[in-house]
Amino acid sequence: VVAGDVDEGDVGMGVGGFCFYGGSAGEGLAASRSLKAASSTPLLIAADYEEGLGSRVKGTTELPTNMAIGASGSEELARRKGGITALEARAIGVDWVFAPVLDLAVRPDNPIVNVRSFGADPVLVSRLGAAFSGGLSDGGALNSVKHFPGHGETSVDSHLTMPEVPLAREALWDADLRPFRDLCRRADSVMVGHLKIKSVDTAAPASLSRAVITGLLRGELGYDGPVLTDALNMKALEGEGEPGVRAFLAGADVLLYPEDPPRLLAALEAAAADGRITDALVDRALSRQDALVRRAAAARVSPPPFSVVRCAEHLAFPAEAAPRCLAWAWGGGALKPGDAVGYFEPCTAPSEWKGTAFVKELSALGLRVQPYAPGRGMKLAAGLFSRPRAFSGAINLAAAESAELRKAVLGAEGSVVAAFGSPFVLDGLSPRPDAALCAFCALEDFQRCAARAVSGAVAVFGTMPVKIGG
């Protein structure tokens, strides 16, 4: 029941599976084959491919963020994203995808949810989360809805510190809990987050709380499948004693990514020796894990070929999806062929620009693009790139970036801002640019579509899935 990092000296400890991070597609395939061949019992290979493999694994397909799919409102696109993710995951030997994310994107200052979420509306998140899960199932991968009971109302990164959800129980039920209420009984597994919800448990974080796991999730929501913790190496659990033992006693079946697996095993054995962990608890957890293994084994009978990774159909998906995913926060096409346009990224030298595909497409459309210089009769096209980064604790624009953007807008003859990541970078901009377009991700196909949109060459059909303040 322990998934994590294990070296050759620990082969006798009993490993339920591994969680893959990084590497290339070929390395993933080789590692999964080697590990499964070496194990005397079936292993589960899992990974955090909530945004597809491309953001984590070299040589795989990059896919639009969940929030981009949320802007489209399209169950078809959500299901296709899930299906592509499943096929490429299984092609490199990964059985279990820790997705979909069911957290709501309701706070601009939330540093870790943001574009990982489908949006702020729990009904939208439920609908697209179900479609994404259906795509995973179509492709033969297991899913895990996360991060129960919802990180939406938090304002800190649980990789760094313990978040708290301030909602009363009634508000929680109709907001953050709604997608989990709708989907958990159909989920292969549920991942519980490291966050405190004092309206449910005044002391323990959700991942270590019997009131949350056994009482709320299993009791009130009626879920009886496998429960796993979020990664046990996250800093939110510092000072929480032996969190793996506490999580198991609270009702978790899979203890994900312990910092020190041998130490956790010793703590579990000590808890068994003193009677806190009973044979019945262990048997129940193992039976739930066995059910996952059986589902994975059925899909392993006919795995997709490795050639499915970055195949033409998968690579075409972002360009096909982009016009349906981009959304105007306000305004519309602010540029036209022949305009003198200055491109700008706050606090970024031209040699470090992330929006090169956007700039090249503007030039191809007949705009005269050069680095922005205020007071020279140029229109401004600003590219903003901000997205969640685990362990960073930050999101949106820093003070220096905001100051540079304000100065640029004031010095322009007209302005449009394109957000290639967090839409909340637009929150409270003053002075307000003439137009603001959200792409929700920095994929080159999305940059090219954004250039065509701001110059009036194409229409985009997305709807803002979050609220942007004045």
Side-chain angles (χ1 to χ4, degrees):
V1 294
V2 181
D5 289 336
V6 179
D7 61 34
E8 291 182 2
D10 302 319
V11 291
M13 66 184 294
V15 179
F18 291 85
C19 189
F20 281 5
Y21 294 90
S24 68
E27 289 169 339
L29 178 60
S32 63
R33 284 177 172 172
S34 176
L35 289 168
K36 290 173 182 177
S39 178
S40 59
T41 58
L43 289 177
L44 285 170
I45 306 293
D48 253 329
Y49 297 154
E50 63 191 49
E51 297 291 12
L53 280 66
S55 63
R56 291 186 174 268
V57 184
K58 295 176 183 176
T60 59
T61 305
E62 292 185 280
L63 299 177
T65 60
N66 288 335
M67 190 170 285
I69 301 297
S72 77
S74 170
E75 293 175 34
E76 175 216 346
L77 293 183
R79 194 173 195 108
R80 285 176 66 190
K81 179 179 177 181
I84 291 169
T85 300
L87 289 173
E88 296 202 359
R90 289 189 54 232
I92 68 169
V94 172
D95 313 291
W96 190 9
V97 176
F98 296 152
V101 172
L102 298 185
D103 305 291
L104 306 183
V106 291
R107 291 188 59 145
D109 60 346
N110 188 310
I112 199 62
V113 175
N114 207 276
V115 292
R116 299 169 68 199
S117 168
F118 290 109
D121 179 9
V123 176
L124 173 74
V125 172
S126 291
R127 187 165 58 82
L128 299 186
F132 184 96
S133 293
L136 289 177
S137 180
D138 293 343
L142 302 172
N143 65 60
S144 186
V145 297
K146 64 182 186 183
H147 307 80
F148 184 84
H151 268 277
E153 286 288 348
T154 64
S155 59
V156 298
D157 181 359
S158 56
H159 294 84
L160 297 172
T161 189
M162 181 64 70
E164 291 192 11
V165 174
L167 295 181
R169 194 179 181 92
E170 295 77 15
L172 184 75
W173 189 262
D174 292 326
D176 290 60
L177 266 181
R178 171 67 183 270
F180 294 99
R181 287 167 48 202
D182 291 345
L183 301 187
C184 69
R185 293 194 190 188
R186 291 179 280 163
D188 294 316
S189 60
V190 174
M191 179 185 287
V192 182
H194 304 317
L195 65 159
K196 286 186 177 179
I197 305 178
K198 292 189 175 180
S199 62
V200 181
D201 190 323
T202 58
S207 52
L208 312 183
S209 169
R210 186 169 179 81
V212 171
I213 298 175
T214 300
L216 180 60
L217 178 58
R218 295 203 188 281
E220 295 183 54
L221 271 61
Y223 174 72
D224 194 38
V227 170
L228 64 153
T229 66
D230 206 343
L232 293 174
N233 70 330
M234 291 164 64
K235 302 300 182 185
L237 295 180
E238 284 187 348
E240 293 291 342
E242 184 47 78
V245 173
R246 292 179 61 192
F248 185 77
L249 291 172
D253 306 295
V254 178
L255 309 177
L256 181 66
Y257 203 159
E259 190 81 54
D260 186 343
R263 175 184 159 193
L264 175 54
L265 179 61
L268 291 167
E269 289 173 338
D274 66 22
R276 286 181 293 155
I277 292 179
T278 65
D279 288 346
L281 287 177
V282 173
D283 289 344
R284 187 163 57 193
L286 288 174
S287 70
R288 290 180 178 131
Q289 185 180 14
D290 287 343
L292 281 178
V293 171
R294 287 194 295 272
R295 290 181 200 172
R300 287 176 186 169
V301 173
S302 55
F306 187 75
S307 59
V308 76
V309 176
R310 284 185 64 83
C311 66
E313 180 183 348
H314 293 181
L315 291 173
F317 176 68
E320 294 170 7
R324 300 165 66 182
C325 295
L326 271 64
W328 289 104
W330 66 79
L335 309 176
K336 61 182 183 298
D339 281 347
V341 176
Y343 180 70
F344 168 82
E345 294 178 18
C347 299
T348 306
S351 60
E352 302 296 324
W353 282 348
K354 298 177 182 176
T356 53
F358 179 69
V359 171
K360 288 179 181 177
E361 188 68 15
L362 286 176
S363 297
L365 290 165
L367 288 82
R368 295 179 289 125
V369 185
Q370 56 186 295
Y372 177 70
R376 296 189 184 178
M378 294 181 180
K379 291 185 176 180
L380 171 69
L384 304 181
F385 296 79
S386 175
R387 59 166 299 148
R389 300 289 181 193
F391 296 99
S392 74
I395 191 68
N396 301 321
L397 298 180
E401 292 173 314
S402 294
E404 278 206 358
L405 181 58
R406 284 195 298 270
K407 183 178 178 181
V409 172
L410 284 169
E413 295 299 313
S415 55
V416 59
V417 170
F420 295 109
S422 170
F424 295 117
V425 295
L426 306 175
D427 209 59
L429 284 185
S430 179
R432 186 162 153 157
D434 298 320
L437 179 71
C438 291
F440 309 103
C441 66
L443 297 181
E444 290 191 358
D445 286 318
F446 274 57
Q447 290 191 33
R448 284 188 282 268
C449 186
R452 293 191 286 271
V454 299
S455 60
V458 299
V460 294
F461 302 99
T463 301
M464 290 296 292
V466 296
K467 294 180 180 179
I468 302 300

